């Protein structure tokens, strides 16, 4: 009996360490010190929330701290520039989202080319933006919002997490396709915009779902529609905007990139770790709570996604007729 119990304990210890051993074999001693995970928006927003959930998991399973650093401003371009100019040693990585694909065409004087100066690491999740308004605004549907905005031209404002974010561009696409005149008010992240949205100082936001889902569930914000072509399983009663505005669609995704020249072994370790994380039932449940779907991808697959999205959003920027110097 004592021998059997010892075997059980040894097997449990072995299973606990299999993941670490496999990763150590893949990347020798990487990581051997803390890894900086740079997020281009303020703390408390959707990007930051997801980055911190993943950082906790990676810290626990890779044996080194993954430290989230918030470098907000210019729609995430400040963060991207800082990462691109960091040593390409695997110890500085960045949170990637549609803003990085959008910025390539929206910003006219960037000191970098994102696709050229970074290497893809892994996908994280797919999700939607959601059109939300404060309960004080007398509209309950997308159609009612369009009618109200057209009867109050230039009087309504929309918040965004910064120029060139998917939050900004989802609204610009909506403006272009519906002809409403609403004024853009950029913030340094979704969490910075939340107080003004909740109090009605700004009137609408097309935020990443994780940033506002609890406000919607609690009734502090009213959801009018999601930006994806299909409804979200997280809020199945909220229609797609495209049900009212035919052809409207703006999907969102998250991933990880690193500076060009980062060692392949480090990228391999991180990619394998993310694949395991996204298969973890607890992680999958947490992502579902935030309204997302896990998106495990190889570096090549994620790189293709970013390239395709860069091309797609370039067309939207041109269609909306906007640019940032």
């Amino acid at each position: 009996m004592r021998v059997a119990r010892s075997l059980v304990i040894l097997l449990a210890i072995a299973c606990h360490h299999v993941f670490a051993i496999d990763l150590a074999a893949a990347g020798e001693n990487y990581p051997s010190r803390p890894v900086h995970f740079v997020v281009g928006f303020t703390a408390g927003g959707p990007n930051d929330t997801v980055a911190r959930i993943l950082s906790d998991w990676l810290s626990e399973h890779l044996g080194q701290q993954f430290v989230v650093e918030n470098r907000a401003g210019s729609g995430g371009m400040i963060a991207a520039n800082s990462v691109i100019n960091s040593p390409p040693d695997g110890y500085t990585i960045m949170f990637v989202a549609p803003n990085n694909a959008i910025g390539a065409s929206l910003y006219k004087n960037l000191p970098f080319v994102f696709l050229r100066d970074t290497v893809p690491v892994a996908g994280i999740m797919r999700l939607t933006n959601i059109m939300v308004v404060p309960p004080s605004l007398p509209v309950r549907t997308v159609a009612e919002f369009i009618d109200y905005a057209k009867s109050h031209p230039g009087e309504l404002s929309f918040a965004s997490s910064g120029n060139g974010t998917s939050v900004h561009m989802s609204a610009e696409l909506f403006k272009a396709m519906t002809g409403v005149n609403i004024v853009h008010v950029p913030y340094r992240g979704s969490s910075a915009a939340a107080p003004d949205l909740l109090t009605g100082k700004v009137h609408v936001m097309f935020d990443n779902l994780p940033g506002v889902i609890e406000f919607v569930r609690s009734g502090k914000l009213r959801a009018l529609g999601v930006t994806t072509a299909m409804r979200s399983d997280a809020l199945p009663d909220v229609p797609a905007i495209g049900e009212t505005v035919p052809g409207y669609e703006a999907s969102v995704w998250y991933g990880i990139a690193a500076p060009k020249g980062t060692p392949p072994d480090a990228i391999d370790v991180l990619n394998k770790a993310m694949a395991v994380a996204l298969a973890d039932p607890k992680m999958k449940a947490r992502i579902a709570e935030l309204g997302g779907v896990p998106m495990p991808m190889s570096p090549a697959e994620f790189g293709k996604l970013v390239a395709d999205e860069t091309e797609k959003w370039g067309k939207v920027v041109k269609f909306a007729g906007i640019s940032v110097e």
Side-chain angles (χ1 to χ4, degrees), residues 108-186:
K108 300 306 179 187
N109 298 303
L110 288 176
F112 61 84
V113 177
F114 189 80
L115 290 173
R116 181 194 66 198
D117 298 330
T118 65
V119 289
V121 174
I124 298 174
M125 61 189 280
R126 290 188 181 275
L127 62 157
T128 183
N129 284 348
I130 185 167
M131 182 182 183
V132 290
V133 299
S136 57
L137 197 70
V139 300
R140 292 188 171 275
T141 66
V142 172
E144 288 180 4
F145 180 89
I146 293 170
D147 290 342
Y148 187 83
K150 287 186 175 180
S151 65
H152 298 79
E155 296 180 21
L156 300 186
S157 56
F158 72 91
S160 82
S161 50
N163 286 313
T165 59
S166 70
V167 181
H168 172 205
M169 293 306 298
S170 293
E172 292 289 356
L173 183 61
F174 183 83
K175 285 177 61 179
M177 294 184 70
T178 61
V180 298
N181 179 12
I182 54 178
V183 180
H184 182 208
V185 182

Side-chain angles (χ1 to χ4, degrees), residues 21-324:
I21 291 169
D22 285 346
L23 291 179
E28 297 182 356
N29 296 319
Y30 175 85
S32 60
R33 53 188 169 87
V35 177
H36 298 273
F37 194 0
V38 180
V39 177
F41 302 95
T42 50
N47 299 44
D48 176 77
T49 297
V50 174
R52 290 181 188 278
I53 292 169
L54 290 173
S55 291
D56 288 345
W57 193 96
L58 291 168
S59 297
E60 178 182 352
H61 290 81
L62 291 182
Q64 290 290 339
Q65 286 296 308
F66 279 68
V67 182
V68 173
E69 294 185 4
N70 300 94
R71 299 186 183 180
S74 299
M77 298 303 105
I78 290 174
N81 191 50
S82 71
V83 171
I84 286 167
N85 286 287
S86 297
D89 54 13
Y91 291 92
T92 301
I93 59 177
M94 70 175 292
F95 194 96
V96 183
N99 61 288
N100 299 108
I102 295 165
S105 55
L106 183 68
Y107 287 85
K108 300 306 179 187
N109 298 303
L110 288 176
F112 61 84
V113 177
F114 189 80
L115 290 173
R116 181 194 66 198
D117 298 330
T118 65
V119 289
V121 174
I124 298 174
M125 61 189 280
R126 290 188 181 275
L127 62 157
T128 183
N129 284 348
I130 185 167
M131 182 182 183
V132 290
V133 299
S136 57
L137 197 70
V139 300
R140 292 188 171 275
T141 66
V142 172
E144 288 180 4
F145 180 89
I146 293 170
D147 290 342
Y148 187 83
K150 287 186 175 180
S151 65
H152 298 79
E155 296 180 21
L156 300 186
S157 56
F158 72 91
S160 82
S161 50
N163 286 313
T165 59
S166 70
V167 181
H168 172 205
M169 293 306 298
S170 293
E172 292 289 356
L173 183 61
F174 183 83
K175 285 177 61 179
M177 294 184 70
T178 61
V180 298
N181 179 12
I182 54 178
V183 180
H184 182 208
V185 182
Y187 292 79
R188 290 171 64 85
S190 294
S191 60
D196 286 352
L197 182 64
L198 290 166
T199 57
K201 291 181 181 178
V202 287
H203 305 98
V204 64
M205 190 172 182
F206 292 70
D207 199 12
N208 293 175
L209 185 55
V212 292
I213 191 168
E214 293 306 325
F215 291 136
V216 172
R217 286 171 173 162
S218 66
K220 293 180 180 179
L221 290 174
R222 181 180 297 140
L224 302 187
V226 295
T227 64
T228 44
M230 305 295 291
R231 298 189 182 199
S232 169
D233 290 341
L235 295 170
D237 293 334
V238 178
I241 294 172
E243 293 176 32
T244 302
V245 184
Y248 180 93
E249 188 270 332
S251 59
V252 185
W253 42 269
Y254 293 159
I256 301 172
K260 183 180 180 180
T262 296
D265 283 352
I267 293 171
D268 187 51
V269 168
L270 292 170
N271 184 271
K272 288 179 177 177
M274 284 305 306
V276 175
L278 295 175
D280 185 325
K282 291 182 179 179
M283 181 66 74
K284 291 171 73 173
R286 187 71 182 97
I287 288 174
E289 287 175 6
L290 296 172
V293 177
M295 187 184 73
M297 285 183 162
S298 69
E301 289 170 338
F302 183 58
K304 184 178 185 305
L305 171 67
V306 178
D308 290 346
E309 288 284 303
T310 299
E311 181 180 357
K312 182 188 82 173
W313 283 108
K315 294 176 181 176
V316 175
V317 168
K318 184 177 180 180
F319 174 65
I322 57 174
S323 65
V324 177

